[in-house]
Amino acid sequence: MYYWNGLAEVPAGIGPTVVTIGNFDGVHVGHQHVLDRLVKVAREKDAAAVAISFDPHPAQVHRPETAPELIMGPLDRREALAATGLDGLLMMHYDLQLASLSPEEFVRQVFVDGLHVCAVVIGHDVRFGRGNSGDLETMRRLGAELGFEVQAVEDFGALPDGPAASGGRRCSSTWIREALRSGDVRTAARLLGRTHRMRGEVIHGAARGRELGFPTANLAPEASGLIPADGIYAGWLVDEAGTRWPAAISVGSNPTFDGVSRQVEAHVIDRPEERISDFDLYGQHVVVEFVERLRGMVAYTGPEALIEQMRLDVARTRDVLSTDSSGDR
């Protein structure tokens, strides 16, 4: 997949293209539904499939005090978009100047002059242009005027294997955030089409885990990805070499030791004996994936009680991951 950081990087000879537009936070199954159609239409027309997205998220520009926390970081979003079969991703810097363009100006400058579009594939709820004044009907009118086809894709609703209580709810980034904030990483994974992940550098912590016999890889505070609810999770740690390690993951402030700041720590389990002494992840940028929440965060009466619970957590982690197919990827 080609990656263009702004219109200036798009090759002059590009085209024809089939284009879609969105924030794609999470690149969830609803987004994938649209992108699958986009790629199919592009192949039928012998054109390039191109997605347009924005950085920063428009809400961070217009209402930073209430902007949603992003589900994934830029690198994970780019990798997830590439996995859909896109030929190109145009990442546009979102600022007040871009936001001031009318729907007509935006489509003409970006779609027509910049990408030489022959077709647009979008959802029924698309909004674009100054004040989000452009919608699906606007796009259809502009397509007729400027010479490109417009195809609308139906919403992706309730998950086929999801709870009946979802009631046909539209798959959305909002739903995923709600699931993660409640610790329901299983539902988040079904909505995402993959396990939720965080990515960051491993830094030195207080070394309490090592003292207790459960050394952990501590993610730096600036790690990307939405932090799920406090608790203990079964999951995976992927190191820089691409090795996937089963891990018991702690999210919280270590209440047994009167911790204050939230931390994400992964204790790798079942390492080969010959790797234990030299297993050093400090300074590496790793990925931590959350498969299932085992329990909430609890303050124990002392180290002995905590150690016993950690042994139980490791055993449960082993059981959960023994049947987790995501570890085979």
Side-chain angles (χ1 to χ4, degrees):
M1 182 185 74
Y2 291 102
Y3 177 79
W4 304 301
N5 191 23
L7 268 178
E9 293 188 2
V10 176
I14 193 173
T17 64
V18 179
V19 172
T20 193
I21 183 172
N23 293 311
F24 302 114
D25 185 24
V27 194
H28 54 62
V29 293
H31 296 142
Q32 294 165 35
H33 182 55
V34 174
L35 294 166
D36 286 346
R37 173 72 71 81
L38 172 78
V39 171
K40 179 181 179 181
V41 172
R43 300 295 176 264
E44 292 171 350
K45 295 181 176 294
D46 195 22
V50 177
I52 301 170
S53 194
F54 306 97
D55 184 42
H57 191 291
Q60 294 174 325
V61 173
H62 294 293
R63 50 181 192 282
E65 66 285 349
T66 60
E69 186 177 0
L70 297 181
I71 296 167
M72 65 192 337
L75 178 57
D76 287 304
R77 176 170 56 157
R78 182 170 167 177
E79 288 184 353
L81 286 168
T84 66
L86 286 173
D87 298 304
L89 171 62
L90 170 59
M91 188 63 66
M92 302 196 69
H93 176 68
Y94 192 88
D95 56 18
L96 294 179
Q97 180 178 353
L98 182 64
S100 70
L101 296 178
S102 69
E104 292 81 0
E105 291 171 329
F106 180 80
V107 168
R108 187 180 292 275
Q109 290 181 25
V110 180
F111 287 31
V112 178
D113 296 340
L115 294 172
H116 305 291
V117 64
C118 67
V120 173
V121 176
I122 48 177
H124 284 268
D125 63 343
V126 67
R127 308 295 297 194
F128 63 99
R130 185 169 54 238
N132 275 338
S133 56
D135 58 13
L136 175 59
E137 292 309 310
T138 308
M139 189 69 77
R140 283 175 169 156
R141 174 175 60 80
L142 291 172
E145 293 176 4
L146 300 174
F148 59 83
E149 178 187 348
V150 176
Q151 293 193 23
V153 181
E154 295 294 334
D155 284 344
F156 191 94
L159 301 171
D161 60 344
S166 64
R169 181 177 181 180
R170 174 179 177 270
C171 181
S172 68
S173 299
T174 297
W175 189 359
I176 295 168
R177 292 188 190 98
E178 290 174 4
L180 292 174
R181 287 171 181 148
S182 69
D184 187 1
V185 294
R186 285 288 191 187
T187 291
R190 288 197 294 269
L191 292 164
L192 289 166
R194 62 189 177 279
T195 51
H196 175 61
R197 59 172 49 187
M198 294 185 65
R199 183 189 297 267
E201 182 181 359
V202 177
I203 61 172
H204 289 274
R208 289 199 183 95
R210 187 173 296 276
E211 293 170 1
L212 297 172
F214 298 88
T216 59
N218 302 271
L219 290 189
E222 59 271 20
S224 65
L226 196 155
I227 303 175
D230 287 2
I232 306 300
Y233 296 81
W236 303 92
L237 182 148
V238 185
D239 63 22
E240 287 185 349
T243 304
R244 199 180 196 86
W245 301 94
I249 306 162
S250 170
V251 177
S253 56
N254 295 321
T256 301
F257 298 98
D258 298 321
V260 177
S261 60
R262 297 183 77 209
Q263 296 178 319
V264 177
E265 309 173 58
H267 169 64
V268 172
I269 66 174
D270 297 338
R271 289 170 289 175
E273 289 297 326
E274 65 273 13
R275 291 295 306 276
I276 292 178
S277 60
D278 62 353
F279 191 73
D280 185 359
L281 296 173
Y282 291 124
Q284 286 199 32
H285 286 78
V286 303
V287 171
V288 173
E289 300 184 353
F290 300 84
V291 173
E292 183 173 306
R293 189 176 190 234
L294 304 180
R295 62 177 176 85
M297 191 60 73
V298 177
Y300 291 92
T301 55
E304 294 78 11
L306 177 58
I307 289 171
E308 180 57 31
Q309 181 60 60
M310 292 168 78
R311 290 194 182 107
L312 295 174
D313 294 336
V314 167
R316 289 194 61 198
T317 295
R318 189 177 293 113
D319 289 342
V320 168
L321 297 184
S322 67
T323 58
D324 177 53
S325 60
S326 68
D328 298 328
R329 292 177 300 174

